[in-house]
């Protein structure tokens, strides 16, 4: 399956340098492991031995269990597990919320959207989303490991993580496309257009690419219907209920930090730099991450099929790289 930090798009709205502490954990928790030689024996600091072996992908039942274990790795009141909705095939879209002072979970065991708990005044919300394409699986695993490290690190009193979770409201959604993940085949990194709709692990079960199914900000027509993409509808509804100031969307494929916008009014295939009003902030955040990544910082990931593709400083404006409508 494809691996790496692609960025369609990893950065969204906001101004929150504290997220850098969170993202850099993806590297610092396993300093000895090269990004392309992830060892099955890699463990997260503080994890129990029998739960610290990351040697396989978590399927549906394991995903829920892994997130519950991540929540249990922290002290009471630090984590809250809930679902923002369901996939086409009815799989929950799990989110693990991590921040200090949440209090006990609902007594009735509710895990629906309302079980996320109240917003905490003055505490900025950050969300990380993975596995939007079902066959891009590394992000799904990495976000589970990250959630476990955040919770366990807070319990053991890591000063950086205590400060982070005392001041930041972190939401981790490891898999937006659990149906596609279940269809994907390990070792198959190609994108096949053959077969009936929904047969590719990349798309949802109705053959829709979730990363191309959001309303287009530059479109003058009617927004697309969301009946075939309940995953996208659930994500949009969740965003509207909250006040996220910064987001990351982790993909597989190339190794680059891409920042908004991902499309432009011209919708030219490539080469159009589409700025946001926070362009300098986004460039700073993207460069801060890329400069701490052993491969990304080189700007030359040498990915199969795109060996000659390069990115200055390991970052790119999304639309300048290639235009994607509806993200």
């Amino acid at each position: 399956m494809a691996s790496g930090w692609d960025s369609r798009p990893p950065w969204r709205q906001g101004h929150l340098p504290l997220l850098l502490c969170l993202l850099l954990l993806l590297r610092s928790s396993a300093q000895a492991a090269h990004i392309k030689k992830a060892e099955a024996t890699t463990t997260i600091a503080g994890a129990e031995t029998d739960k610290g072996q990351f040697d396989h992908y978590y399927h549906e039942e394991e995903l829920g269990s892994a997130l519950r274990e991540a929540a249990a790795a922290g002290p009471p009141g630090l984590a809250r597990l809930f679902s923002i909705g369901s996939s086409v095939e009815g799989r929950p879209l799990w989110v693990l919320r991590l921040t200090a002072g949440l209090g006990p979970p609902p007594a009735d065991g509710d895990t629906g959207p309302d079980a996320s708990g109240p917003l905490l005044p003055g505490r900025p919300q950050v969300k990380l989303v993975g596995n939007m394409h079902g066959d891009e699986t590394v992000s799904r695993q990495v976000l589970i490991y990250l959630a476990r490290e955040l919770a366990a690190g807070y319990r053991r009193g890591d000063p950086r993580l205590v400060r982070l979770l005392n001041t930041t409201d972190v939401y981790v959604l490891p898999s937006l496309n659990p149906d596609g993940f279940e269809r994907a085949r390990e070792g198959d990194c190609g994108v096949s257009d053959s077969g009936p709709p929904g047969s590719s692990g990349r798309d949802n079960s109705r053959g829709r690419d979730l990363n191309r199914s959001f309303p287009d900000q530059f479109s003058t027509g009617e927004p697309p219907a969301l009946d075939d993409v309940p995953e996208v509808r659930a994500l949009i509804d969740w965003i509207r209920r909250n006040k996220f100031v910064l987001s990351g969307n982790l993909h597989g494929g190339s190794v680059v930090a891409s920042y908004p916008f991902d499309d432009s009014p011209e919708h030219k295939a490539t080469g159009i730099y589409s700025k946001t009003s926070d362009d300098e902030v986004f460039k700073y955040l993207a460069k801060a991450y890329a400069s701490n990544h052993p491969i990304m910082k080189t700007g030359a990931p040498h990915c199969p099929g795109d060996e000659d593709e390069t990115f200055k400083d390991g970052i790119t404006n999304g639309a300048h790289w290639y235009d994607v409508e509806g993200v």
Side-chain angles (χ1 to χ4, degrees):
M1 295 188 179
S3 64
W5 172 290
D6 185 45
S7 31
R8 306 303 315 147
W11 310 108
R12 282 290 187 194
Q13 66 280 7
H15 313 68
L16 193 64
L18 264 179
L19 182 65
L20 298 178
C21 298
L22 188 156
L23 289 173
L24 294 178
L25 280 171
L26 303 184
R27 177 173 180 247
S28 63
S29 63
Q31 289 285 348
H34 188 279
I35 189 70
K36 296 199 176 205
K37 297 180 181 177
E39 299 292 342
T41 56
T42 300
T43 60
I44 285 178
E48 297 177 23
T49 302
D50 61 343
K51 296 179 181 178
Q53 303 299 317
F54 307 138
D55 59 355
H56 68 285
Y57 290 106
Y58 295 143
H59 286 267
E60 180 180 2
E61 291 185 6
E62 289 180 294
L63 176 61
S65 297
L67 291 172
R68 292 183 188 93
E69 290 175 3
L78 183 74
R80 185 75 61 86
L81 181 64
F82 63 98
S83 171
I84 62 169
S86 299
S87 66
V88 171
E89 297 180 17
R91 295 184 172 91
L93 304 176
W94 289 118
V95 175
L96 186 62
R97 181 184 183 187
L98 293 156
T99 194
L102 285 178
D108 60 3
D110 179 27
T111 58
D114 294 336
S116 62
L119 300 184
L120 301 176
R123 196 169 295 184
Q125 293 179 279
V126 174
K127 64 178 169 65
L128 299 174
V129 178
N131 201 207
M132 184 174 283
H133 291 135
D135 58 357
E136 296 177 8
T137 57
V138 170
S139 61
R140 177 178 168 121
Q141 298 298 117
V142 164
L143 288 179
I144 297 169
Y145 306 158
L146 175 61
R148 188 182 300 175
E149 171 63 7
L150 289 174
Y154 190 95
R155 180 187 285 274
R156 67 176 181 265
D158 183 301
R160 181 173 55 161
L161 300 188
V162 169
R163 176 173 176 263
L164 176 69
L165 296 182
N166 280 345
T167 58
T168 311
D169 200 355
V170 179
Y171 298 75
V172 178
L173 197 172
S175 182
L176 189 66
N177 190 359
D179 295 351
F181 174 85
E182 295 299 328
R183 288 193 308 277
R185 298 186 302 274
E186 188 167 352
D188 181 1
C189 300
V191 178
S192 175
D193 294 326
S194 61
S199 61
S200 165
R202 177 183 176 87
D203 300 337
N204 78 352
S205 289
R206 292 185 178 141
R208 293 287 297 275
D209 184 332
L210 302 184
N211 203 38
R212 309 305 196 268
S213 297
F214 290 85
D216 179 13
Q217 63 177 325
F218 297 116
S219 174
T220 58
E222 289 295 317
L226 300 177
D227 295 343
D228 288 338
V229 283
E231 303 91 348
V232 170
R233 183 189 296 276
L235 187 63
I236 291 174
D237 290 345
W238 180 46
I239 291 171
R240 287 174 170 167
R241 290 193 301 270
N242 291 274
K243 298 178 180 179
F244 296 110
V245 298
L246 191 65
S247 301
N249 187 356
L250 284 71
H251 286 250
S254 190
V255 185
V256 61
S258 170
Y259 53 91
F261 287 126
D262 279 311
D263 63 347
S264 68
E266 298 87 351
H267 288 310
K268 184 179 177 182
T270 187
I272 297 292
Y273 194 111
S274 188
K275 285 186 178 182
T276 72
S277 57
D278 296 314
D279 188 62
E280 291 301 317
V281 174
F282 284 126
K283 285 195 293 186
Y284 168 78
L285 291 170
K287 190 175 293 187
Y289 182 86
S291 66
N292 283 277
H293 189 292
I295 293 176
M296 196 180 298
K297 68 181 180 182
T298 69
H302 299 298
C303 294
D306 291 299
E307 288 84 357
D308 297 329
E309 188 172 48
T310 59
F311 305 95
K312 187 179 185 301
D313 298 321
I315 69 174
T316 185
N317 174 262
H320 192 266
W321 184 13
Y322 63 91
D323 190 280
V324 181
E325 297 183 44
V327 295

PDB file of all heavy atoms in Angstrom, residues 5 55 101 166 194 237 308:
ATOM      1  N   TRP A   5       3.789  10.899   3.640  1.00  0.00           N
ATOM      2  CA  TRP A   5       2.939  12.050   3.940  1.00  0.00           C
ATOM      3  C   TRP A   5       2.728  12.785   2.640  1.00  0.00           C
ATOM      4  O   TRP A   5       3.576  13.464   2.137  1.00  0.00           O
ATOM      5  CB  TRP A   5       3.630  12.945   4.984  1.00  0.00           C
ATOM      6  CG  TRP A   5       2.941  14.245   5.233  1.00  0.00           C
ATOM      7  CD1 TRP A   5       2.857  15.313   4.386  1.00  0.00           C
ATOM      8  CD2 TRP A   5       2.261  14.641   6.407  1.00  0.00           C
ATOM      9  NE1 TRP A   5       2.166  16.337   4.970  1.00  0.00           N
ATOM     10  CE2 TRP A   5       1.790  15.948   6.205  1.00  0.00           C
ATOM     11  CE3 TRP A   5       1.993  14.022   7.638  1.00  0.00           C
ATOM     12  CZ2 TRP A   5       1.085  16.637   7.183  1.00  0.00           C
ATOM     13  CZ3 TRP A   5       1.298  14.715   8.583  1.00  0.00           C
ATOM     14  CH2 TRP A   5       0.850  16.008   8.349  1.00  0.00           C
ATOM     15  N   ASP A  55       2.995  -4.404  13.980  1.00  0.00           N
ATOM     16  CA  ASP A  55       3.425  -5.272  12.890  1.00  0.00           C
ATOM     17  C   ASP A  55       2.309  -5.623  11.912  1.00  0.00           C
ATOM     18  O   ASP A  55       2.473  -6.478  11.064  1.00  0.00           O
ATOM     19  CB  ASP A  55       4.028  -6.557  13.457  1.00  0.00           C
ATOM     20  CG  ASP A  55       3.050  -7.330  14.340  1.00  0.00           C
ATOM     21  OD1 ASP A  55       1.928  -6.820  14.580  1.00  0.00           O
ATOM     22  OD2 ASP A  55       3.417  -8.426  14.795  1.00  0.00           O
ATOM     23  N   GLY A 101      -9.216  17.640  31.201  1.00  0.00           N
ATOM     24  CA  GLY A 101     -10.417  18.179  31.823  1.00  0.00           C
ATOM     25  C   GLY A 101     -11.720  17.822  31.145  1.00  0.00           C
ATOM     26  O   GLY A 101     -12.706  18.542  31.300  1.00  0.00           O
ATOM     27  N   ASN A 166      -2.967  20.367  27.865  1.00  0.00           N
ATOM     28  CA  ASN A 166      -3.586  21.316  28.797  1.00  0.00           C
ATOM     29  C   ASN A 166      -4.069  22.577  28.087  1.00  0.00           C
ATOM     30  O   ASN A 166      -4.865  23.336  28.631  1.00  0.00           O
ATOM     31  CB  ASN A 166      -2.607  21.723  29.902  1.00  0.00           C
ATOM     32  CG  ASN A 166      -2.505  20.684  30.998  1.00  0.00           C
ATOM     33  OD1 ASN A 166      -3.337  19.785  31.110  1.00  0.00           O
ATOM     34  ND2 ASN A 166      -1.472  20.795  31.825  1.00  0.00           N
ATOM     35  N   SER A 194     -10.584  -0.249 -13.341  1.00  0.00           N
ATOM     36  CA  SER A 194     -11.383  -1.361 -13.830  1.00  0.00           C
ATOM     37  C   SER A 194     -12.270  -1.886 -12.713  1.00  0.00           C
ATOM     38  O   SER A 194     -12.045  -1.635 -11.540  1.00  0.00           O
ATOM     39  CB  SER A 194     -10.477  -2.476 -14.356  1.00  0.00           C
ATOM     40  OG  SER A 194      -9.644  -2.968 -13.315  1.00  0.00           O
ATOM     41  N   ASP A 237     -20.628  18.059   8.528  1.00  0.00           N
ATOM     42  CA  ASP A 237     -21.497  18.354   9.671  1.00  0.00           C
ATOM     43  C   ASP A 237     -20.680  18.507  10.951  1.00  0.00           C
ATOM     44  O   ASP A 237     -20.963  19.383  11.784  1.00  0.00           O
ATOM     45  CB  ASP A 237     -22.533  17.243   9.844  1.00  0.00           C
ATOM     46  CG  ASP A 237     -23.575  17.231   8.737  1.00  0.00           C
ATOM     47  OD1 ASP A 237     -23.669  18.235   7.994  1.00  0.00           O
ATOM     48  OD2 ASP A 237     -24.285  16.217   8.603  1.00  0.00           O
ATOM     49  N   ASP A 308      11.639  11.712 -10.532  1.00  0.00           N
ATOM     50  CA  ASP A 308      12.241  13.011 -10.805  1.00  0.00           C
ATOM     51  C   ASP A 308      11.470  14.182 -10.192  1.00  0.00           C
ATOM     52  O   ASP A 308      11.871  15.331 -10.340  1.00  0.00           O
ATOM     53  CB  ASP A 308      12.354  13.231 -12.322  1.00  0.00           C
ATOM     54  CG  ASP A 308      13.269  12.218 -12.985  1.00  0.00           C
ATOM     55  OD1 ASP A 308      14.222  11.767 -12.316  1.00  0.00           O
ATOM     56  OD2 ASP A 308      13.029  11.868 -14.152  1.00  0.00           O
TER      57      ASP A 308
END
